[in-house]
């Protein structure tokens, strides 16, 4: 099982450029998430999707958009990258079950905006 | 909203030493509590969890007990190994599927 797969693993952007981070899961999970990880701040939720066709803002959504393309795929788009968006981005998914269920994470995308 | 506070690292220990990483949370109701581990270059993976007060989660020699009276979920291991070197995250969830993470604690174990 591949689990949660993210592409690319590394990316360098110039300020103002756009890009899309891709995420796919093969576990048939309903819920998917995008987090960013910054030193000393843990993981902060950017957007999530509770099911195919729905998306909602998390703690830090500004500057990002998402698309839940189908049950497997959940993409994160930066329309105009800024240095403050330099971070490590993680996609995750979880099965139904509410607050007791664990989330499964991809290996991350390290993004640098110069 | 929810919040999770962990001790700042890095924590540096010698092999076979006792480990404690403190974690406290603020949340309404009865959240579920988790410890995740992140090895270098990898994503987070679940280490252990507890879903109600006084439950003890355990895995790979690590343990944590859900203490509602002190709103804590401290991680412990009796004898750490070099292979335990990683970043450890405490997290809580009381809003469906949304996890709130602490800032992470880096553990370095020296031979």
């Amino acid at each position: 099982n591949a689990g949660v797969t993210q592409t690319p693993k590394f990316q360098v952007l110039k300020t103002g450029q756009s890009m899309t981070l891709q995420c796919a899961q093969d576990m048939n999970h309903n819920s998917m998430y995008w987090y960013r990880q910054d030193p000393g701040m843990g993981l902060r939720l950017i957007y999530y999707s509770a099911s195919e066709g729905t998306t909602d803002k998390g703690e830090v959504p500004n500057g990002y958009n998402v698309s839940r393309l189908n049950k497997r795929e959940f993409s994160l788009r930066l329309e105009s990258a800024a240095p403050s968006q330099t971070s490590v981005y993680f996609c995750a998914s979880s099965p139904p079950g509410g607050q007791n269920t664990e989330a499964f994470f991809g290996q991350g995308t390290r993004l640098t905006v110069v | 909203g929810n919040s999770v506070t962990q001790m700042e690292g890095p924590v540096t220990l010698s092999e076979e030493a006792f480990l404690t990483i403190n974690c406290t949370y603020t949340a309404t109701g009865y959240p579920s509590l988790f410890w995740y581990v992140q090895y270098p270059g990898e994503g987070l993976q679940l280490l252990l969890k507890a879903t109600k007060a006084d439950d003890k989660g355990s895995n790979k020699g690590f343990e944590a007990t859900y203490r509602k009276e002190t709103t804590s979920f401290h991680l412990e291991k009796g004898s750490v190994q070099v292979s335990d070197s990683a970043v450890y995250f405490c997290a809580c969830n009381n809003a469906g599927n949304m996890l709130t993470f602490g800032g992470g604690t880096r553990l370095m174990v020296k031979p």
Side-chain angles (χ1 to χ4, degrees):
Chain A
N1 250 351
V4 179
T5 304
Q6 292 182 234
T7 55
K9 292 187 177 179
F10 301 94
Q11 183 71 49
V12 178
L13 290 179
K14 293 182 179 179
T15 298
Q17 286 186 317
S18 62
M19 79 161 295
T20 299
L21 282 64
Q22 306 288 351
C23 175
Q25 52 93 9
D26 62 2
M27 296 173 283
N28 203 36
H29 289 167
N30 289 333
S31 299
M32 297 185 73
Y33 314 85
W34 277 104
Y35 289 89
R36 60 178 287 172
Q37 181 183 25
D38 301 294
M41 302 184 74
L43 277 73
R44 292 181 293 168
L45 184 64
I46 304 171
Y47 271 93
Y48 68 99
S49 171
S51 62
E52 184 179 352
T54 67
T55 61
D56 286 287
K57 295 178 180 179
E59 182 184 357
V60 288
N62 291 345
Y64 305 95
N65 287 301
V66 291
S67 295
R68 183 73 182 267
L69 304 170
N70 47 55
K71 193 170 187 178
R72 290 186 65 249
E73 299 173 288
F74 188 39
S75 63
L76 178 71
R77 182 160 178 85
L78 287 71
E79 290 291 352
S80 178
S84 61
Q85 294 178 304
T86 294
S87 187
V88 181
Y89 292 85
F90 287 98
C91 178
S93 69
S94 65
Q99 67 181 54
N100 295 336
T101 58
E102 71 173 285
F104 294 80
F105 287 81
Q107 290 196 318
T109 297
R110 184 174 296 275
L111 175 67
T112 302
V113 183
V114 298
Chain B
N2 298 343
S3 67
V4 176
T5 303
Q6 294 179 233
M7 59 190 296
E8 291 190 18
V11 174
T12 304
L13 296 173
S14 298
E15 206 164 24
E16 299 184 0
F18 184 87
L19 168 70
T20 300
I21 300 178
N22 290 336
C23 170
T24 56
Y25 68 90
T26 301
T28 57
Y30 299 89
S32 295
L33 303 175
F34 304 81
W35 276 101
Y36 282 81
V37 59
Q38 183 181 30
Y39 298 105
E42 299 184 8
L44 280 70
Q45 55 187 276
L46 181 69
L47 179 60
L48 54 83
K49 70 178 183 182
T51 59
K52 60 183 187 294
D54 300 325
D55 267 3
K56 177 184 286 187
S58 61
N59 186 25
K60 300 181 180 180
F62 291 89
E63 294 183 338
T65 301
Y66 189 143
R67 301 288 187 199
K68 187 158 180 65
E69 64 275 15
T70 54
T71 62
S72 65
F73 193 54
H74 304 322
L75 183 68
E76 296 181 337
K77 186 174 185 182
S79 177
V80 294
Q81 305 300 312
V82 173
S83 57
D84 294 325
S85 298
V87 181
Y88 293 81
F89 292 92
C90 185
C92 74
N93 187 345
N94 72 342
N97 287 344
M98 288 191 290
L99 288 160
T100 299
F101 287 90
T105 302
R106 181 175 299 277
L107 171 65
M108 300 172 60
V109 181
K110 297 185 174 180

